[in-house]
Amino acid sequence: MRWIAAALVLTATPAAANEARFAKALSEFRELHRAETRKSNIAGSSFYVVRGGQTVAADHLGEQDADAKVPVNARTIYHWASVTKTMTGIAIMQLRDRGLLSLDDPIVKYVPELAAVHNPFGDTGAITLRQLMSHSAGFRSGTWPWRDHDWQPFEPQGWDQLVAMLPYTRVEFKPGSRFGYSNPGIVYLGQVIERLSGEDYEVYIDKNILKPLGMHASTFDRTPPHLLPHRSHSYYIRSGKRVAAPFDVDTGVTVSNGGLNAPMPDMAKYAAFLLGDPARQSDYDLVLKRSSLEEMWVPQISAGEDFTQGRMATTTQAGLSFFIDRSATVRFIRHNGDQNGFRAYLSLCPDQRVGSLLAFNTETQGVQNSAANRNTAESRIALATDRLCEALSE
């Protein structure tokens, strides 16, 4: 009996130590989050931790409307910008699993208009869905490169506008040769989803991802009236002052690239699905089976020269619509988003079954493709979430 008791103590001690480290890391992160948010004049921010399928931390700081003094709370709806790309990728995998496409199919098979693009490196017909999902297809970063006046639309509203641009569009590098983050590449994937499903992108995602996961307050683009009181405003810090960004914008035809708006509890459901739960796997498999999700997290190409994505590190790898990193002890799966003054971060540690969600309604400094991007307030806070997973793996 004494031997059994001693064995139980020995096996329980590492777990107890992990929990103590996790609690300490969470406390330190919360302190950092509050201090950096206050110091940087960020109007509002929220932070959630999902662990074992449950939300174990939920923090809301500041205001969703700084002028009206409306505080951030659990119903506040943030814009998740490029985190939308992960749902676009999941939709492509759903269609693949239903036998409607192959990831190595050429994009022109589904979007033949792209044959009009100038490709100095060869046949545009050789560019694949897989390359678009891993940002290695060679298309430029920005979708609409000429928006520089307030009177211009926030994003192009119709596909015909992008089609008109295609003869004036060139492939920037040999497809498959390197990473190059591309927003229009994801818009093209949105067209694949619409054409194969016969539904608008927003309708397809609502039916096949949002509704099955119970994300009932999540929408795309213009907020419906019943949710409008909870829609966060957004801001920029310019010359040391906080200025308002346009409210409740419409991402138009680029919706598959960055149109998602959602409150934190809905995104916690999404994170729980991504992390997986054996008790709920039969339900989650109705959205996407686990093996297909893990397939999306297999590195496809190095993204280490792009400091706007992932952990903004030279070790970052692009998977299929997600970014992958490793510290000494942890595998990280991520995507972030920034648009119209919002910054959003989704970070998962599947092996520890822990994920964090971080949203800001204020951009303190424009994103730049430089290691200096790590030093913005938002990046410092986001990178500090790594410690939560590392505390459980020591």
Side-chain angles (χ1 to χ4, degrees):
M1 293 296 294
R2 284 196 299 271
W3 179 87
I4 293 172
L8 288 172
V9 169
L10 288 173
T11 56
T13 298
N18 278 349
E19 292 304 321
R21 284 193 295 268
F22 179 79
K24 182 175 184 291
L26 180 58
S27 176
E28 291 173 348
F29 175 84
R30 284 172 150 160
E31 183 178 342
L32 171 72
H33 184 204
R34 286 175 168 80
E36 288 277 8
T37 298
R38 183 170 52 250
K39 181 175 67 175
S40 302
N41 199 22
I42 292 171
S45 178
S46 294
F47 165 68
Y48 271 40
V49 176
V50 176
R51 186 179 178 195
Q54 302 295 320
T55 299
V56 298
D59 294 350
H60 302 287
L61 309 179
E63 297 165 332
Q64 69 176 42
D65 184 342
D67 294 329
K69 305 299 181 185
V70 178
V72 172
N73 59 36
R75 300 188 71 181
T76 295
I77 295 172
Y78 290 96
H79 181 54
W80 289 85
S82 288
V83 176
T84 310
K85 291 178 171 71
T86 64
M87 293 188 177
T88 300
I90 286 171
I92 292 291
M93 298 299 285
Q94 289 174 335
L95 296 172
R96 192 281 305 269
D97 287 356
R98 294 168 193 163
L100 296 177
L101 59 81
S102 166
L103 299 186
D104 296 311
D105 283 342
I107 181 62
V108 295
K109 178 178 180 179
Y110 306 103
V111 190
E113 300 95 315
L114 287 170
V117 169
H118 176 62
N119 183 0
F121 303 97
D123 180 14
T124 302
I127 296 175
T128 66
L129 305 184
R130 184 185 301 275
Q131 290 169 341
L132 291 168
M133 293 175 76
S134 61
H135 298 278
S136 61
F139 291 107
R140 68 169 177 266
S141 177
T143 304
W144 195 246
W146 302 293
R147 189 182 70 232
D148 53 7
H149 297 289
D150 291 342
W151 55 265
Q152 294 173 331
F154 183 75
E155 291 284 8
Q157 294 300 295
W159 172 245
D160 59 340
Q161 292 175 289
L162 295 191
V163 171
M165 294 167 57
L166 294 179
Y168 305 94
T169 299
R170 75 187 295 269
V171 176
E172 303 291 332
F173 56 85
K174 183 179 179 181
S177 65
R178 67 175 179 85
F179 175 88
Y181 191 77
S182 175
N183 290 304
I186 308 304
V187 177
Y188 305 151
L189 291 175
Q191 286 296 303
V192 175
I193 294 164
E194 292 193 350
R195 296 177 190 199
L196 288 181
S197 70
E199 297 179 315
D200 287 347
Y201 173 86
E202 300 94 314
V203 174
Y204 179 90
I205 298 297
D206 187 64
K207 285 182 177 181
N208 292 273
I209 299 177
L210 302 185
K211 284 291 193 303
L213 294 179
M215 299 173 66
H216 299 299
S218 300
T219 61
F220 292 92
D221 293 328
R222 299 290 187 192
T223 306
H226 73 286
L227 294 174
L228 201 55
H230 309 295
R231 180 71 160 95
S232 180
H233 291 244
S234 58
Y235 307 88
Y236 295 103
I237 302 297
R238 295 291 182 262
S239 301
K241 296 183 179 180
R242 192 168 64 205
V243 297
F247 178 65
D248 201 33
V249 298
D250 185 350
T251 61
V253 73
T254 72
V255 61
S256 58
N257 166 67
L260 179 67
N261 303 313
M264 297 297 282
D266 274 16
M267 292 302 291
K269 293 176 182 177
Y270 184 53
F273 154 71
L274 294 172
L275 289 166
D277 183 350
R280 296 200 60 195
Q281 202 54 51
S282 61
D283 293 331
Y284 288 160
D285 282 348
L286 295 175
V287 178
L288 190 67
K289 61 185 180 182
R290 192 74 203 166
S291 60
S292 294
L293 197 55
E294 291 280 354
E295 186 180 345
M296 299 179 76
W297 300 342
V298 174
Q300 303 288 313
I301 198 163
S302 171
E305 295 181 0
D306 189 324
F307 287 91
T308 67
Q309 303 304 317
R311 294 175 70 231
M312 298 166 289
T314 57
T315 55
T316 301
Q317 299 280 323
L320 299 174
S321 305
F322 288 90
F323 293 96
I324 303 103
D325 267 287
R326 289 185 182 272
S327 69
T329 56
V330 178
R331 175 179 60 138
F332 296 97
I333 309 296
R334 304 177 189 270
H335 211 296
N336 58 287
D338 60 270
Q339 190 175 42
N340 195 42
F342 288 96
R343 288 283 183 88
Y345 300 84
L346 166 70
S347 183
L348 308 170
C349 308
D351 303 318
Q352 287 74 35
R353 293 193 62 208
V354 176
S356 65
L357 297 157
L358 187 61
F360 303 94
N361 66 6
T362 308
E363 179 185 88
T364 64
Q365 183 177 316
V367 175
Q368 53 185 313
N369 189 6
S370 162
N373 196 52
R374 295 172 63 93
N375 294 323
T376 67
E378 304 96 294
S379 294
R380 287 196 300 270
I381 297 169
L383 290 168
T385 63
D386 288 2
R387 181 59 187 152
L388 299 174
C389 296
E390 290 168 347
L392 291 169
S393 63
E394 294 177 354

